[in-house]
Amino acid sequence: MNTMDKIAVIIPCYNEGLTIYKVVQDFQNALPGAAIYVYDNNSSDNTFEEAKRGGAVVRKEQLQGKGNVLRRALREADAHCYLIVDGDDTYPAKNASELYGPMAMMPLFFASLMAGLMISSSSLPISPSSPA
């Protein structure tokens, strides 16, 4: 990617074929202009195809585990804000825009819809591109 996205929605997935299309569509509607990245982590169902159909940038990660997916995603996605959500439609996309307002003022921000958690880059021990 040559230019930095304002928001990157990162969605690690393992066998989320039943829900990932809706999740991608919901985040596209909630955060117009955000880059939606789905990382298929060795799914045996149609996760990859459904995410692609939904309009996401879809990549396969062969190393099993969410930690492996997130390390790769944070190396590859270049954004001001990273929103990491699950592909099983656990967290409502409509709440995503509420998190972005405070984040827009920070140099780099990570957010979780799970608990409305926001972490400034200044509190992180490593940079997103550092191997963990």
Side-chain angles (χ1 to χ4, degrees):
M1 176 180 308
N2 293 331
T3 60
M4 182 183 288
D5 292 316
K6 203 170 204 178
I7 303 172
V9 178
I10 297 172
I11 312 172
C13 287
Y14 178 72
N15 291 336
E16 304 293 356
L18 294 176
T19 54
I20 191 59
Y21 175 83
K22 179 185 182 303
V23 170
V24 169
Q25 291 286 292
D26 287 352
F27 277 95
Q28 286 177 337
N29 291 330
L31 297 169
I36 313 291
Y37 296 94
V38 171
Y39 283 81
D40 183 358
N41 199 201
N42 300 312
S43 295
S44 59
D45 66 359
N46 62 341
T47 296
F48 187 92
E49 294 80 11
E50 286 298 299
K52 196 106 175 128
R53 186 172 75 89
V57 174
V58 188
R59 297 182 174 145
K60 291 190 176 200
E61 174 53 53
Q62 300 301 321
L63 295 175
Q64 197 65 40
K66 192 177 275 189
N68 290 314
V69 169
L70 293 178
R71 275 189 290 277
R72 178 176 171 197
L74 293 173
R75 277 193 308 267
E76 293 179 350
D78 188 16
H80 174 75
C81 168
Y82 298 88
L83 180 62
I84 301 166
V85 299
D86 290 338
D88 62 1
D89 202 24
T90 300
Y91 312 112
K94 65 181 179 169
N95 296 341
S97 61
E98 296 169 20
L99 290 174
Y100 183 67
M103 291 185 283
M105 305 306 291
M106 301 294 183
L108 174 67
F109 231 87
F110 294 84
S112 167
L113 284 176
M114 186 170 65
L117 174 68
M118 294 184 280
I119 304 170
S120 167
S121 61
S122 61
S123 66
L124 295 175
I126 60 171
S127 71
S129 60
S130 296

PDB file of all heavy atoms in Angstrom, residues 66-87:
ATOM      1  N   LYS A  66      -4.260 -16.205  16.307  1.00  0.00           N
ATOM      2  CA  LYS A  66      -4.582 -14.789  16.165  1.00  0.00           C
ATOM      3  C   LYS A  66      -3.341 -13.908  16.317  1.00  0.00           C
ATOM      4  O   LYS A  66      -3.209 -12.899  15.643  1.00  0.00           O
ATOM      5  CB  LYS A  66      -5.635 -14.377  17.189  1.00  0.00           C
ATOM      6  CG  LYS A  66      -6.220 -13.007  16.917  1.00  0.00           C
ATOM      7  CD  LYS A  66      -7.307 -12.636  17.896  1.00  0.00           C
ATOM      8  CE  LYS A  66      -8.620 -13.203  17.446  1.00  0.00           C
ATOM      9  NZ  LYS A  66      -9.759 -12.695  18.248  1.00  0.00           N
ATOM     10  N   GLY A  67      -2.413 -14.292  17.183  1.00  0.00           N
ATOM     11  CA  GLY A  67      -1.188 -13.511  17.344  1.00  0.00           C
ATOM     12  C   GLY A  67      -0.396 -13.428  16.058  1.00  0.00           C
ATOM     13  O   GLY A  67       0.122 -12.360  15.695  1.00  0.00           O
ATOM     14  N   ASN A  68      -0.288 -14.539  15.338  1.00  0.00           N
ATOM     15  CA  ASN A  68       0.418 -14.540  14.050  1.00  0.00           C
ATOM     16  C   ASN A  68      -0.295 -13.651  13.038  1.00  0.00           C
ATOM     17  O   ASN A  68       0.343 -12.923  12.272  1.00  0.00           O
ATOM     18  CB  ASN A  68       0.551 -15.962  13.515  1.00  0.00           C
ATOM     19  CG  ASN A  68       1.516 -16.780  14.337  1.00  0.00           C
ATOM     20  OD1 ASN A  68       2.598 -16.316  14.666  1.00  0.00           O
ATOM     21  ND2 ASN A  68       1.128 -17.986  14.692  1.00  0.00           N
ATOM     22  N   VAL A  69      -1.608 -13.721  13.030  1.00  0.00           N
ATOM     23  CA  VAL A  69      -2.393 -12.890  12.110  1.00  0.00           C
ATOM     24  C   VAL A  69      -2.176 -11.416  12.420  1.00  0.00           C
ATOM     25  O   VAL A  69      -1.928 -10.611  11.522  1.00  0.00           O
ATOM     26  CB  VAL A  69      -3.894 -13.246  12.191  1.00  0.00           C
ATOM     27  CG1 VAL A  69      -4.730 -12.224  11.442  1.00  0.00           C
ATOM     28  CG2 VAL A  69      -4.152 -14.638  11.662  1.00  0.00           C
ATOM     29  N   LEU A  70      -2.263 -11.049  13.689  1.00  0.00           N
ATOM     30  CA  LEU A  70      -2.148  -9.636  14.048  1.00  0.00           C
ATOM     31  C   LEU A  70      -0.748  -9.089  13.784  1.00  0.00           C
ATOM     32  O   LEU A  70      -0.611  -7.954  13.316  1.00  0.00           O
ATOM     33  CB  LEU A  70      -2.551  -9.424  15.509  1.00  0.00           C
ATOM     34  CG  LEU A  70      -4.031  -9.685  15.790  1.00  0.00           C
ATOM     35  CD1 LEU A  70      -4.336  -9.493  17.266  1.00  0.00           C
ATOM     36  CD2 LEU A  70      -4.926  -8.805  14.929  1.00  0.00           C
ATOM     37  N   ARG A  71       0.275  -9.866  14.060  1.00  0.00           N
ATOM     38  CA  ARG A  71       1.636  -9.400  13.746  1.00  0.00           C
ATOM     39  C   ARG A  71       1.763  -9.099  12.257  1.00  0.00           C
ATOM     40  O   ARG A  71       2.312  -8.070  11.856  1.00  0.00           O
ATOM     41  CB  ARG A  71       2.677 -10.435  14.179  1.00  0.00           C
ATOM     42  CG  ARG A  71       3.078 -10.295  15.635  1.00  0.00           C
ATOM     43  CD  ARG A  71       4.250 -11.184  15.975  1.00  0.00           C
ATOM     44  NE  ARG A  71       3.907 -12.594  15.987  1.00  0.00           N
ATOM     45  CZ  ARG A  71       3.344 -13.221  17.013  1.00  0.00           C
ATOM     46  NH1 ARG A  71       3.045 -12.555  18.106  1.00  0.00           N
ATOM     47  NH2 ARG A  71       3.066 -14.502  16.948  1.00  0.00           N
ATOM     48  N   ARG A  72       1.253  -9.991  11.431  1.00  0.00           N
ATOM     49  CA  ARG A  72       1.344  -9.780   9.980  1.00  0.00           C
ATOM     50  C   ARG A  72       0.500  -8.582   9.555  1.00  0.00           C
ATOM     51  O   ARG A  72       0.950  -7.730   8.780  1.00  0.00           O
ATOM     52  CB  ARG A  72       0.902 -11.031   9.242  1.00  0.00           C
ATOM     53  CG  ARG A  72       0.945 -10.828   7.745  1.00  0.00           C
ATOM     54  CD  ARG A  72       0.607 -12.054   6.980  1.00  0.00           C
ATOM     55  NE  ARG A  72       0.475 -11.724   5.573  1.00  0.00           N
ATOM     56  CZ  ARG A  72      -0.124 -12.494   4.696  1.00  0.00           C
ATOM     57  NH1 ARG A  72      -0.590 -13.680   5.055  1.00  0.00           N
ATOM     58  NH2 ARG A  72      -0.224 -12.122   3.439  1.00  0.00           N
ATOM     59  N   ALA A  73      -0.731  -8.524  10.047  1.00  0.00           N
ATOM     60  CA  ALA A  73      -1.635  -7.444   9.653  1.00  0.00           C
ATOM     61  C   ALA A  73      -1.070  -6.080  10.017  1.00  0.00           C
ATOM     62  O   ALA A  73      -1.147  -5.133   9.224  1.00  0.00           O
ATOM     63  CB  ALA A  73      -3.000  -7.647  10.301  1.00  0.00           C
ATOM     64  N   LEU A  74      -0.482  -5.966  11.187  1.00  0.00           N
ATOM     65  CA  LEU A  74       0.056  -4.675  11.611  1.00  0.00           C
ATOM     66  C   LEU A  74       1.323  -4.297  10.849  1.00  0.00           C
ATOM     67  O   LEU A  74       1.649  -3.120  10.737  1.00  0.00           O
ATOM     68  CB  LEU A  74       0.297  -4.669  13.119  1.00  0.00           C
ATOM     69  CG  LEU A  74      -0.985  -4.741  13.949  1.00  0.00           C
ATOM     70  CD1 LEU A  74      -0.654  -4.901  15.426  1.00  0.00           C
ATOM     71  CD2 LEU A  74      -1.873  -3.531  13.708  1.00  0.00           C
ATOM     72  N   ARG A  75       2.013  -5.280  10.309  1.00  0.00           N
ATOM     73  CA  ARG A  75       3.153  -4.993   9.433  1.00  0.00           C
ATOM     74  C   ARG A  75       2.670  -4.510   8.067  1.00  0.00           C
ATOM     75  O   ARG A  75       3.296  -3.653   7.452  1.00  0.00           O
ATOM     76  CB  ARG A  75       4.023  -6.241   9.236  1.00  0.00           C
ATOM     77  CG  ARG A  75       5.018  -6.502  10.321  1.00  0.00           C
ATOM     78  CD  ARG A  75       6.039  -7.557   9.916  1.00  0.00           C
ATOM     79  NE  ARG A  75       5.468  -8.786   9.411  1.00  0.00           N
ATOM     80  CZ  ARG A  75       5.195  -9.857  10.153  1.00  0.00           C
ATOM     81  NH1 ARG A  75       5.434  -9.844  11.444  1.00  0.00           N
ATOM     82  NH2 ARG A  75       4.682 -10.937   9.615  1.00  0.00           N
ATOM     83  N   GLU A  76       1.570  -5.070   7.592  1.00  0.00           N
ATOM     84  CA  GLU A  76       1.123  -4.805   6.222  1.00  0.00           C
ATOM     85  C   GLU A  76       0.189  -3.608   6.085  1.00  0.00           C
ATOM     86  O   GLU A  76       0.236  -2.909   5.077  1.00  0.00           O
ATOM     87  CB  GLU A  76       0.430  -6.051   5.652  1.00  0.00           C
ATOM     88  CG  GLU A  76       1.378  -7.200   5.469  1.00  0.00           C
ATOM     89  CD  GLU A  76       0.715  -8.456   4.933  1.00  0.00           C
ATOM     90  OE1 GLU A  76      -0.536  -8.519   4.862  1.00  0.00           O
ATOM     91  OE2 GLU A  76       1.455  -9.378   4.579  1.00  0.00           O
ATOM     92  N   ALA A  77      -0.664  -3.393   7.039  1.00  0.00           N
ATOM     93  CA  ALA A  77      -1.632  -2.295   6.944  1.00  0.00           C
ATOM     94  C   ALA A  77      -0.981  -1.007   7.435  1.00  0.00           C
ATOM     95  O   ALA A  77      -0.398  -0.978   8.506  1.00  0.00           O
ATOM     96  CB  ALA A  77      -2.872  -2.613   7.771  1.00  0.00           C
ATOM     97  N   ASP A  78      -1.061   0.031   6.661  1.00  0.00           N
ATOM     98  CA  ASP A  78      -0.489   1.319   7.020  1.00  0.00           C
ATOM     99  C   ASP A  78      -1.641   2.281   7.258  1.00  0.00           C
ATOM    100  O   ASP A  78      -2.286   2.730   6.318  1.00  0.00           O
ATOM    101  CB  ASP A  78       0.422   1.800   5.883  1.00  0.00           C
ATOM    102  CG  ASP A  78       1.209   3.034   6.247  1.00  0.00           C
ATOM    103  OD1 ASP A  78       1.298   3.365   7.455  1.00  0.00           O
ATOM    104  OD2 ASP A  78       1.748   3.672   5.334  1.00  0.00           O
ATOM    105  N   ALA A  79      -1.911   2.583   8.523  1.00  0.00           N
ATOM    106  CA  ALA A  79      -3.081   3.393   8.851  1.00  0.00           C
ATOM    107  C   ALA A  79      -2.803   4.280  10.056  1.00  0.00           C
ATOM    108  O   ALA A  79      -1.862   4.061  10.816  1.00  0.00           O
ATOM    109  CB  ALA A  79      -4.278   2.484   9.141  1.00  0.00           C
ATOM    110  N   HIS A  80      -3.647   5.257  10.235  1.00  0.00           N
ATOM    111  CA  HIS A  80      -3.603   6.124  11.415  1.00  0.00           C
ATOM    112  C   HIS A  80      -4.268   5.427  12.593  1.00  0.00           C
ATOM    113  O   HIS A  80      -3.853   5.578  13.729  1.00  0.00           O
ATOM    114  CB  HIS A  80      -4.317   7.441  11.106  1.00  0.00           C
ATOM    115  CG  HIS A  80      -4.449   8.346  12.277  1.00  0.00           C
ATOM    116  ND1 HIS A  80      -3.390   9.066  12.778  1.00  0.00           N
ATOM    117  CD2 HIS A  80      -5.502   8.627  13.077  1.00  0.00           C
ATOM    118  CE1 HIS A  80      -3.794   9.758  13.826  1.00  0.00           C
ATOM    119  NE2 HIS A  80      -5.070   9.510  14.019  1.00  0.00           N
ATOM    120  N   CYS A  81      -5.300   4.669  12.309  1.00  0.00           N
ATOM    121  CA  CYS A  81      -6.089   4.012  13.344  1.00  0.00           C
ATOM    122  C   CYS A  81      -6.302   2.556  12.947  1.00  0.00           C
ATOM    123  O   CYS A  81      -6.644   2.273  11.806  1.00  0.00           O
ATOM    124  CB  CYS A  81      -7.435   4.726  13.457  1.00  0.00           C
ATOM    125  SG  CYS A  81      -8.656   3.867  14.443  1.00  0.00           S
ATOM    126  N   TYR A  82      -6.096   1.657  13.887  1.00  0.00           N
ATOM    127  CA  TYR A  82      -6.321   0.225  13.661  1.00  0.00           C
ATOM    128  C   TYR A  82      -7.463  -0.228  14.545  1.00  0.00           C
ATOM    129  O   TYR A  82      -7.412  -0.063  15.759  1.00  0.00           O
ATOM    130  CB  TYR A  82      -5.069  -0.584  14.007  1.00  0.00           C
ATOM    131  CG  TYR A  82      -3.885  -0.234  13.162  1.00  0.00           C
ATOM    132  CD1 TYR A  82      -3.019   0.797  13.540  1.00  0.00           C
ATOM    133  CD2 TYR A  82      -3.627  -0.907  11.988  1.00  0.00           C
ATOM    134  CE1 TYR A  82      -1.930   1.130  12.752  1.00  0.00           C
ATOM    135  CE2 TYR A  82      -2.525  -0.582  11.207  1.00  0.00           C
ATOM    136  CZ  TYR A  82      -1.696   0.434  11.585  1.00  0.00           C
ATOM    137  OH  TYR A  82      -0.620   0.762  10.811  1.00  0.00           O
ATOM    138  N   LEU A  83      -8.481  -0.787  13.939  1.00  0.00           N
ATOM    139  CA  LEU A  83      -9.609  -1.332  14.681  1.00  0.00           C
ATOM    140  C   LEU A  83      -9.604  -2.834  14.441  1.00  0.00           C
ATOM    141  O   LEU A  83      -9.695  -3.286  13.297  1.00  0.00           O
ATOM    142  CB  LEU A  83     -10.920  -0.701  14.192  1.00  0.00           C
ATOM    143  CG  LEU A  83     -12.194  -1.158  14.875  1.00  0.00           C
ATOM    144  CD1 LEU A  83     -12.154  -0.816  16.360  1.00  0.00           C
ATOM    145  CD2 LEU A  83     -13.393  -0.502  14.219  1.00  0.00           C
ATOM    146  N   ILE A  84      -9.468  -3.607  15.501  1.00  0.00           N
ATOM    147  CA  ILE A  84      -9.386  -5.060  15.389  1.00  0.00           C
ATOM    148  C   ILE A  84     -10.674  -5.653  15.932  1.00  0.00           C
ATOM    149  O   ILE A  84     -11.037  -5.399  17.083  1.00  0.00           O
ATOM    150  CB  ILE A  84      -8.156  -5.584  16.159  1.00  0.00           C
ATOM    151  CG1 ILE A  84      -6.882  -4.956  15.588  1.00  0.00           C
ATOM    152  CG2 ILE A  84      -8.100  -7.112  16.105  1.00  0.00           C
ATOM    153  CD1 ILE A  84      -5.656  -5.137  16.456  1.00  0.00           C
ATOM    154  N   VAL A  85     -11.363  -6.409  15.071  1.00  0.00           N
ATOM    155  CA  VAL A  85     -12.643  -7.009  15.460  1.00  0.00           C
ATOM    156  C   VAL A  85     -12.670  -8.476  15.045  1.00  0.00           C
ATOM    157  O   VAL A  85     -11.849  -8.913  14.245  1.00  0.00           O
ATOM    158  CB  VAL A  85     -13.840  -6.264  14.827  1.00  0.00           C
ATOM    159  CG1 VAL A  85     -13.869  -4.812  15.287  1.00  0.00           C
ATOM    160  CG2 VAL A  85     -13.822  -6.331  13.320  1.00  0.00           C
ATOM    161  N   ASP A  86     -13.594  -9.205  15.590  1.00  0.00           N
ATOM    162  CA  ASP A  86     -13.766 -10.609  15.232  1.00  0.00           C
ATOM    163  C   ASP A  86     -14.684 -10.747  14.023  1.00  0.00           C
ATOM    164  O   ASP A  86     -15.535  -9.889  13.776  1.00  0.00           O
ATOM    165  CB  ASP A  86     -14.339 -11.399  16.400  1.00  0.00           C
ATOM    166  CG  ASP A  86     -13.347 -11.564  17.537  1.00  0.00           C
ATOM    167  OD1 ASP A  86     -12.132 -11.447  17.287  1.00  0.00           O
ATOM    168  OD2 ASP A  86     -13.779 -11.805  18.670  1.00  0.00           O
ATOM    169  N   GLY A  87     -14.526 -11.843  13.301  1.00  0.00           N
ATOM    170  CA  GLY A  87     -15.313 -12.084  12.098  1.00  0.00           C
ATOM    171  C   GLY A  87     -16.631 -12.784  12.353  1.00  0.00           C
ATOM    172  O   GLY A  87     -17.362 -13.091  11.415  1.00  0.00           O
TER     173      GLY A  87
END
